[in-house]
Amino acid sequence: MTGGFKIGRLFGIEVRVNPTWFLILVFLTAALATGFFPSSFPGWSPNSYWAVALVASVLLFVSVLVHEFAHALVAQRQGIEVKGVTLFLLGGVASIAKDPSSPGREALMAGVGPLTSFVLGGLSLALFAYAPLPEFAAAVFLYLAIANIVLAVFNLLPGYPLDGGRVLRALLWRLSGDQRRATRGAAWTGVVFGYGFIALGLLMFFGPSGFSGLWLAVVGWFLTQASRQTLTNAELDARLDGVTAGALAHEPGRWVPPYVTVDHAADTYFAAGEDRCLPVRPQDDDRLYDGVVCVDQLERRPPQAKDLWAVRVRDVMTGAQGIIEVAPETPAAEAARLMGAEGAPAVAVVDNGRLVGLVDRATILRRVHLWQRRTSLRREPRAAA
Ligand SMILES: [Zn+2]
């Protein structure tokens, strides 16, 4: 949902627009042109309503961008990498690479977004009330005042990963000193609020404010999904606590030459069934690699290939530039998340440009099962006592 095309760069942060955003722009413009503006400012021509509605919609999304940039700039000041800001169906999102390092920093980074929206709302309200503006402009500022204040209040609801949920997590983190417990607590409130939004949205949908209700239900659904994902990640963190990618990387005993056919590779290198993925490299003289090939890639042949015997490993492998590389000290849970996010079957553990080994999904799952077995063994004596 956070992909999309780049429209520019501001303060070194990439601004992207997801195609779904155009959908919400059209819906919002239509809702404003036929609902909010005619009922609040009667007597304009239909064209005026549409023009003012379009300007107001675009300015609302500018406000959303300013809100997201507030998060992004605070993150940057804390030395955290910001991948970009994206406008999409539900508004905006800043892709921030990792969590802040302390509860205070987290509260600041999360709180600055709603604070910015309150300021924008207040400024718009002041302009609407006191500036000698033509009625069209005054109408736009009235809408921006309401929308920004609603945006601020909505984002302050205490369900993670909404801003309010992040503030709640920071608070729980400060009180308990345990970031993981705080994350779980805030994520569960996110699940509860998410279902609440869905229920409320459906009720509204069958009432007079149908469009807002539908939007609220969609937001609620995304919130429950995001909160559940957070809970899953927290679980993974707990299970892979202290385990690094380097510790899980199995040093590859075999290297697959790029020029052998996929059938030969399947029979020779993957026949033992131990490895799901192997590095590809022509010679054994160093630890650089050309790419990675996995069992399922051997079965997935390029469509243009007519002769199966002519399909070679290099035709189906993932080239080194497409492989996610992590340092040996990277937490295994983060490597697992990267794999999930990119849909990659494996990550390469690379130390100073040299391949240490590969970590694939199967290895991670084995480790998680090992953890489960160990915890159940640890529990047994207590149960007997
Ligand atoms: Zn925010």
Side-chain angles (χ1 to χ4, degrees):
M1 257 308 189
T2 53
F5 46 87
K6 201 175 144 181
I7 56 166
R9 206 168 243 287
L10 209 59
F11 303 112
I13 296 166
E14 208 172 87
V15 182
R16 295 178 157 270
V17 171
N18 185 285
T20 54
W21 174 76
F22 289 100
L23 203 67
I24 197 77
L25 183 69
V26 169
F27 273 112
L28 182 63
T29 303
L32 291 179
T34 57
F36 177 78
F37 287 123
S39 59
S40 314
F41 300 89
W44 301 353
S45 73
N47 284 347
S48 310
Y49 285 124
W50 280 95
V52 169
L54 182 64
V55 171
S57 302
V58 169
L59 285 178
L60 173 65
F61 284 103
V62 172
S63 309
V64 170
L65 267 186
V66 174
H67 171 120
E68 296 306 330
F69 260 89
H71 291 305
L73 292 175
V74 170
Q76 247 185 2
R77 275 196 73 98
Q78 294 182 3
I80 299 171
E81 187 201 346
V82 181
K83 290 181 181 141
V85 167
T86 309
L87 286 178
F88 72 121
L89 186 68
L90 305 177
V93 62
S95 309
I96 293 167
K98 61 184 171 87
D99 286 339
S101 53
S102 73
R105 287 172 163 226
E106 163 122 73
L108 179 69
M109 192 169 108
V112 73
L115 184 72
T116 305
S117 294
F118 272 127
V119 170
L120 289 175
L123 283 175
S124 303
L125 194 62
L127 284 170
F128 166 73
Y130 302 112
L133 296 169
E135 198 185 26
F136 292 147
V140 170
F141 282 117
L142 175 65
Y143 173 70
L144 288 179
I146 296 169
N148 273 296
I149 290 167
V150 167
L151 196 70
V153 171
F154 175 80
N155 271 292
L156 277 177
L157 293 173
Y160 191 91
L162 289 177
D163 296 337
R166 291 175 191 274
V167 175
L168 173 68
R169 178 170 83 158
L171 194 72
L172 295 175
W173 182 6
R174 165 61 60 80
L175 291 175
S176 68
D178 184 341
Q179 191 188 6
R180 284 201 192 125
R181 246 176 71 192
T183 304
R184 276 199 300 273
W188 273 115
T189 59
V191 172
V192 170
F193 270 96
Y195 282 120
F197 289 165
I198 296 175
L200 186 67
L202 289 179
L203 279 177
M204 283 165 67
F205 180 64
F206 294 109
S209 46
F211 172 73
S212 318
L214 195 62
W215 188 78
L216 191 64
V218 172
V219 170
W221 188 79
F222 274 94
L223 180 59
T224 52
Q225 296 305 305
S227 306
R228 281 173 175 282
Q229 186 61 50
T230 306
L231 288 168
T232 310
N233 284 343
E235 179 88 2
L236 198 66
D237 279 335
R239 289 180 177 203
L240 295 172
D241 192 19
V243 182
T244 62
L248 285 190
H250 45 98
E251 196 179 341
R254 288 177 298 271
W255 295 80
V256 184
Y259 44 79
V260 299
T261 64
V262 292
D263 288 345
H264 179 73
D267 293 343
T268 312
Y269 298 95
F270 289 96
E274 292 161 10
D275 300 300
R276 301 283 306 164
C277 299
L278 285 171
V280 180
R281 173 182 87 178
Q283 297 101 17
D284 283 338
D285 55 352
D286 57 21
R287 312 218 122 244
L288 292 173
Y289 66 110
D290 293 348
V292 170
V293 70
C294 301
V295 177
D296 48 344
Q297 283 174 315
L298 296 178
E299 289 151 12
R300 210 187 315 133
R301 301 168 204 282
Q304 72 273 20
K306 288 197 191 76
D307 305 313
L308 295 186
W309 55 268
V311 182
R312 295 172 192 279
V313 164
R314 63 167 165 261
D315 302 325
V316 297
M317 72 175 190
T318 310
Q321 63 275 27
I323 299 288
I324 304 166
E325 294 186 351
V326 298
E329 62 273 14
T330 308
E334 197 184 319
R337 265 198 292 283
L338 283 170
M339 253 185 264
E342 307 285 329
V347 294
V349 182
V350 175
D351 191 14
N352 288 321
R354 292 161 78 85
L355 182 70
V356 175
L358 299 176
V359 181
D360 57 22
R361 287 163 192 273
T363 311
I364 301 243
L365 283 178
R366 267 202 299 275
R367 186 68 191 215
V368 167
H369 288 149
L370 191 69
W371 180 90
Q372 275 170 326
R373 216 168 34 220
R374 257 199 251 127
T375 16
S376 62
L377 282 177
R378 245 185 276 142
R379 273 191 202 128
E380 265 160 34
R382 227 183 295 156

